[in-house]
Amino acid sequence: MIAGNTNVAESRMECASFHAVDIEKSLFFGQKFLGVRNGQPISTMDGLINTVQNAASGNITTLGATTSYTQLIAALDPVFQQNTDPMNPNQRILFCGGVARNVLHAIARLNSTYFVQQQETSWGLQYDTIKIPRGTFQIIEHPLFNTNSAWSAMAVAVDLSTFNVAYLGDRKTQNKEYGINNDLADNGMDADGGTLTTEMTCVVKNPPANAVIRGFTAAAQG
């Protein structure tokens, strides 16, 4: 245990962290389902990727063995066909995995010229913004994307002004505990425990303002 915490307090923190990861995973990768499991009705939501794929399939790009700057522009440019917030410049967030981020940097390196001066004490290339003729993208490497190889090679361009989370009936996360202060019967289990339940859905008001790029592998000039 963490020094100064009880086992119940630490378990609560871990549970909340795991639950938050599950929510975020669903927001990106969720797939809509409506059915019955264990005799009880169950429904799941579409995440951002599935929503874009269903409503704006032209914004889904699977890259080849190499990717040039020209090909990168072609994959990102469609998100600016509709400007959902005319009061702000054309800007998107580009969530990506580690492989995708390395390829993006390699594209910049192969298609740029840079110089190292004698007085410099650091060397290398690291940038957080991509500019194309019609807009800019702020790169954010998302830890969730690095949990498997396919997601690590993926980038998702998000227009935050089109994206929201709706809690069904304005209900927040429900916390139920058993074995603690007699909150719930523990069904004979010799343990402290509980559940977190969040009823919510992903709202994407303008899917064509977002894009998904899969299969970053290597960079190319061009």
Side-chain angles (χ1 to χ4, degrees), residues 5-221:
N5 278 345
T6 66
N7 61 328
V8 173
E10 186 170 340
S11 292
R12 280 185 178 132
M13 289 189 296
E14 290 178 348
C15 180
S17 177
F18 294 149
H19 190 67
V21 170
D22 285 342
I23 289 175
E24 198 151 359
K25 187 181 295 183
S26 295
L27 290 173
F28 278 110
F29 304 103
Q31 296 184 359
K32 185 167 61 178
F33 173 78
L34 181 62
V36 177
R37 182 175 298 172
N38 298 325
Q40 298 294 322
I42 184 173
S43 60
T44 60
M45 69 181 186
D46 262 346
L48 176 64
I49 293 173
N50 233 35
T51 301
V52 174
Q53 187 162 301
N54 292 331
S57 58
N59 289 21
I60 305 290
T61 302
T62 300
L63 301 173
T66 60
T67 304
S68 67
Y69 179 61
T70 301
Q71 292 168 328
L72 182 63
I73 290 176
L76 294 174
D77 184 77
V79 303
F80 298 122
Q81 288 299 102
Q82 300 181 44
N83 184 9
T84 53
D85 189 358
M87 301 300 294
N88 291 311
N90 283 340
Q91 184 170 329
R92 302 290 186 268
I93 302 298
L94 191 66
F95 293 103
C96 65
V99 171
R101 187 171 190 177
N102 283 333
V103 174
L104 289 171
H105 277 67
I107 293 172
R109 179 173 54 81
L110 290 176
N111 292 275
S112 306
T113 301
Y114 56 98
F115 302 92
V116 179
Q117 298 180 353
Q118 186 173 0
Q119 64 267 29
E120 291 292 337
T121 59
S122 63
W123 177 85
L125 181 66
Q126 186 180 72
Y127 65 90
D128 297 308
T129 303
I130 298 175
K131 293 183 178 181
I132 68 172
R134 299 177 68 194
T136 62
F137 297 83
Q138 300 296 320
I139 302 172
I140 296 178
E141 183 179 342
H142 198 301
L144 182 61
F145 281 48
N146 291 325
T147 57
N148 70 61
S149 58
W151 295 354
S152 183
M154 174 187 292
V156 181
V158 183
D159 182 354
L160 293 182
S161 66
T162 73
F163 182 79
N164 204 348
V165 174
Y167 285 86
L168 305 183
D170 294 325
R171 287 172 290 184
K172 303 299 184 181
T173 298
Q174 182 186 66
N175 176 36
K176 289 186 176 181
E177 297 181 344
Y178 58 79
I180 303 173
N181 299 324
N182 297 316
D183 290 327
L184 289 174
D186 61 2
N187 297 319
M189 290 183 286
D190 183 20
D192 296 327
T195 61
L196 293 176
T197 304
T198 302
E199 293 184 285
M200 54 172 284
T201 191
C202 173
V203 178
V204 184
K205 298 178 182 178
N206 186 12
N210 304 269
V212 180
I213 307 176
R214 296 188 174 101
F216 279 94
T217 304
Q221 288 183 317

